[in-house]
Amino acid sequence: MASRSAGRRYRHALWLLTVRDLRVRYSTSALGYLWSILDPLVMSAIYWFVFTQVFHRGKVGEEPYIVFLLSALLPWMWFTGAVSDSTRAFTSEAKLIRSTTIPRSIWVARIDASKGIEFVLSLPVLAIFVLATGAHLHWEVLLYPLAIVLQCALIYGLGLIVAPLVVFFRDLERAVKLVLRFLFYASPIIYGTSALPERFRDLMALNPLSGIIGIYRSAFFPSQLNWLEVASSTVVTVVVLVVGVVVFKRSEHRVLKEL
């Protein structure tokens, strides 16, 4: 009973902090929710123009290319936003963290949750482009919950690693941003894994985002679903999550002293 009650309190606190994050983020912005979709829309427009109007795209992606882009860019914005914000999960809330007794992992989980909600709220934009371009919806759309669960676990695991480490190594915040820039081009976002040379495909499978993005895209482009990549993404995600839990538990007390 005690563990069940503690679980309810944790979920309630997580929900309150998540809602607070969303309110703070949008209350100071005139456009509010629109900012969460403008960034991927502008990026999609740029890459669509470059690869369809300026250069011959070849086999980089599938038609309609704007749907191909958005189906990967929207989850990417969730990933990069959550991981980037996780670097400030403790440093930006130091006083509040020291004065409360709720589990400290909740400060990482609320970032994952708030960015995840923004991702879900951006899906109607993808649906509009699907209808406008005549893209076909396939049964693989039923795999969306699997992709969301995998991405939640991956982001949470990474957050548990970087959030406490940044407290000790402040330069890690900038290093994470550099890694995210590299990872954007090292992930199948503006291209599909099938467009890569054969020798790079096995290496790409080690990137957990490959299988996750493949699931998202398969709702409109079934050929993008590669179960080997999904299996690899699952294994890597589990490893990242386990490492994150271990790192967080071993550093939690030192973090509280350092804050």
Side-chain angles (χ1 to χ4, degrees), residues 32-68:
Y33 158 73
L34 290 178
W35 282 118
S36 64
I37 60 175
L38 278 177
D39 198 0
L41 278 177
V42 171
M43 290 179 66
S44 295
I46 292 172
Y47 286 115
W48 173 85
F49 179 77
V50 170
F51 288 109
T52 63
Q53 306 301 311
V54 179
F55 300 111
H56 179 62
R57 190 176 71 257
K59 296 183 179 179
V60 170
E62 298 189 33
E63 292 291 349
Y65 190 57
I66 189 67
V67 174
F68 185 86

Side-chain angles (χ1 to χ4, degrees), residues 129-192:
F129 278 92
V130 168
L131 293 173
T133 59
H136 298 290
L137 188 65
H138 299 271
W139 71 265
E140 284 85 355
V141 70
L142 299 176
L143 297 175
Y144 254 57
L146 172 61
I148 291 174
V149 168
L150 283 175
Q151 188 164 350
C152 272
L154 178 63
I155 294 171
Y156 184 57
L158 290 172
L160 291 176
I161 295 172
V162 301
L165 292 183
V166 167
V167 176
F168 308 116
F169 310 103
R170 297 304 174 97
D171 287 342
L172 185 60
E173 182 176 346
R174 293 188 177 183
V176 168
K177 291 180 179 180
L178 288 176
V179 171
L180 288 173
R181 289 179 188 175
F182 167 78
L183 194 59
F184 175 82
Y185 294 101
S187 302
I189 298 172
I190 58 177
Y191 57 86

Side-chain angles (χ1 to χ4, degrees), residues 173-220:
E173 182 176 346
R174 293 188 177 183
V176 168
K177 291 180 179 180
L178 288 176
V179 171
L180 288 173
R181 289 179 188 175
F182 167 78
L183 194 59
F184 175 82
Y185 294 101
S187 302
I189 298 172
I190 58 177
Y191 57 86
T193 53
S194 58
L196 294 172
E198 193 72 34
R199 63 184 181 276
F200 292 132
R201 292 181 188 176
D202 292 340
L203 185 62
M204 179 62 74
L206 296 177
N207 180 349
L209 290 176
S210 296
I212 294 172
I213 290 174
I215 296 174
Y216 286 124
R217 275 195 172 135
S218 67
F220 316 102

Side-chain angles (χ1 to χ4, degrees), residues 11 45 54 58 74 101 115 125 132 177 201 208 222 228 230 235 248:
R11 290 191 295 271
V54 179
L74 292 179
T101 59
K115 292 295 184 180
V125 177
K177 291 180 179 180
R201 292 181 188 176
L228 177 61
V230 174
V235 171
F248 191 86

Side-chain angles (χ1 to χ4, degrees), residues 112-130:
D112 192 354
S114 63
K115 292 295 184 180
I117 290 173
E118 286 184 347
F119 165 72
V120 172
L121 292 176
S122 69
L123 290 179
V125 177
L126 176 60
I128 291 173
F129 278 92
V130 168

